[in-house]
Amino acid sequence: MIKLDLPIFSNAVEELRLGLIGKRKQYNMTLDEEIQVKEIYDQYELSKGQTQTFLKAEHLDVSFRDAIQLAYKQVAEGKRLEKLRARILLDTQDCTCCGLVGSDTIDHYLPQEDYPVLAVYSSNLIPLCQKCNNKKRSVDGSIPGKRFVHAYYDNLPDNVQFLIAKVAMKEGALMIDFEIDDTSPLDSGLLISLNYQLNRVDFYKRAKRQVNDFLGGLAVYIEQDYHSDKTNGVKTGLERNYHYHLKNSGINNWKTVLFQELMNCTEFCEGGFYTALNIEISKSVFIT
Ligand SMILES: [Zn+2]
């Protein structure tokens, strides 16, 4: 759920030409095809990646469209256009959709099966994690309300919070839920897209599982903070983590919003973390 700058490329058509030339199979693009590809790329920029029949390039020869898709397969295997793949994936570390894990795959915002000419077009290539990519794959935004946010074109602000965490202690356990804040001043269309994509990639369940592991790894530090300055020590430690993630991962990263709520959960900070994080008090080396 982050906005990325458009990939920097000097000549997208030239990049396609490189992809079409291989050791065994190669396709020599004609000047006419080059012009038509340029028209499609320009139209993609104008529509900001939103679906249009023209972008499907059904007016182009099927052998040309197939050759471009084949070129992408080579990209995926790292044989051709390795630099293109590396450049797209280097743009971000976290998955641009869920932020839960790193982005190690490239998604075609408009799917290459239906939009073959966009198969190696940088602006259509979005870094995602494998799980989000699998869920996003066939979604092209043509059905109202069912659209993913475009990491390059949709204007996701970095100073407006739209992801929130709800934290509560219940019978010694920590209950955490994430949700999109429908009262956020964000554009209503974007809020609908965010809700759709997070449900589609199973973000809420995946985030809850990840929180357990993540906080488990922090348990020893939280306990140290408690022993140095009791409740205040825990709150200060959590606040320090909040500011770190706010600065490095943004206001809508799941870790940022988690710490934002945890540092204000008094029951957790004044000792509830022992049961919440399954810390066995009798084994604590700090207990005196
Ligand atoms: Zn993801």
Side-chain angles (χ1 to χ4, degrees):
M1 291 172 291
I2 52 171
K3 174 161 173 50
L4 295 178
D5 292 331
L6 269 171
I8 300 165
F9 55 93
S10 52
N11 190 333
V13 176
E14 187 54 32
E15 203 150 52
L16 171 60
R17 185 193 300 286
L18 276 175
L20 290 169
I21 299 171
K23 280 181 184 162
R24 276 168 292 172
K25 264 191 170 181
Q26 62 180 51
Y27 187 97
N28 291 310
M29 194 166 36
T30 66
L31 186 59
D32 187 44
E33 284 169 337
E34 216 177 287
I35 291 166
Q36 289 178 308
V37 164
K38 183 79 172 60
E39 281 174 1
I40 290 169
Y41 286 177
D42 288 346
Q43 191 55 39
Y44 186 93
E45 300 298 321
L46 281 173
S47 72
K48 298 187 172 179
Q50 298 315 299
T51 179
Q52 282 184 8
T53 307
F54 178 71
L55 298 177
K56 293 187 176 180
E58 286 161 347
H59 55 291
L60 294 188
D61 194 87
V62 74
S63 62
F64 181 41
R65 288 187 279 150
D66 287 349
I68 298 176
Q69 271 193 288
L70 181 67
Y72 181 73
K73 286 199 181 83
Q74 302 287 324
V75 172
E77 290 165 11
K79 290 175 184 167
R80 290 184 214 167
L81 294 179
E82 277 177 72
K83 285 182 186 164
L84 168 69
R85 180 179 174 80
R87 201 179 66 221
I88 300 290
L89 289 179
L90 273 178
D91 273 350
T92 179
Q93 290 192 325
D94 290 338
C95 171
T96 58
C97 177
C98 68
L100 293 168
V101 288
S103 54
D104 52 3
T105 68
I106 292 176
D107 170 62
H108 291 84
Y109 185 78
L110 291 183
Q112 58 166 326
E113 290 76 16
D114 298 325
Y115 305 83
V117 173
L118 300 170
V120 290
Y121 185 43
S122 300
S123 303
N124 192 46
L125 306 180
I126 314 283
L128 289 184
C129 73
Q130 185 72 60
K131 283 190 176 169
C132 289
N133 198 345
N134 286 343
K135 296 288 185 181
K136 153 67 185 62
R137 209 170 291 276
S138 61
V139 178
D140 71 355
S142 57
I143 302 171
K146 295 185 175 181
R147 184 179 88 80
F148 273 55
V149 171
H150 198 306
Y152 302 135
Y153 291 107
D154 280 313
N155 197 21
L156 276 185
D158 55 13
N159 58 352
V160 176
Q161 186 169 355
F162 51 79
L163 181 69
I164 52 174
K166 294 202 166 170
V167 169
M169 293 288 296
K170 196 174 176 186
E171 295 171 5
L174 185 64
M175 316 296 285
I176 297 170
D177 281 300
F178 292 94
E179 59 184 52
I180 293 295
D181 181 6
D182 289 329
T183 64
S184 153
L186 205 63
D187 173 82
S188 62
L190 275 180
L191 283 174
I192 291 170
S193 296
L194 284 165
N195 265 313
Y196 169 73
Q197 80 176 38
L198 291 189
N199 276 310
R200 172 104 186 166
V201 303
D202 214 11
F203 169 80
Y204 301 107
K205 274 189 200 159
R206 288 168 61 203
K208 279 172 102 161
R209 279 199 298 269
Q210 195 135 333
V211 164
N212 282 333
D213 290 344
F214 179 64
L215 289 181
L218 289 180
V220 64
Y221 303 106
I222 294 174
E223 195 181 14
Q224 280 176 358
D225 287 339
Y226 186 71
H227 280 274
S228 66
D229 196 13
K230 299 291 180 211
T231 305
N232 195 44
V234 175
K235 279 184 185 277
T236 305
L238 294 171
E239 191 173 357
R240 200 166 47 237
N241 273 288
Y242 164 71
H243 285 294
Y244 174 84
H245 288 289
L246 178 64
K247 184 171 173 234
N248 291 290
S249 307
I251 196 171
N252 292 297
N253 177 270
W254 65 278
K255 289 180 188 167
T256 308
V257 300
L258 172 66
F259 284 117
Q260 180 186 39
E261 288 305 303
L262 267 187
M263 69 189 193
N264 290 314
C265 181
T266 303
E267 193 177 341
F268 180 85
C269 295
E270 63 187 17
F273 65 87
Y274 274 105
T275 54
L277 305 181
N278 290 320
I279 301 171
E280 291 183 45
I281 295 176
S282 61
K283 288 186 181 173
S284 168
V285 294
F286 296 99
I287 294 294
T288 55

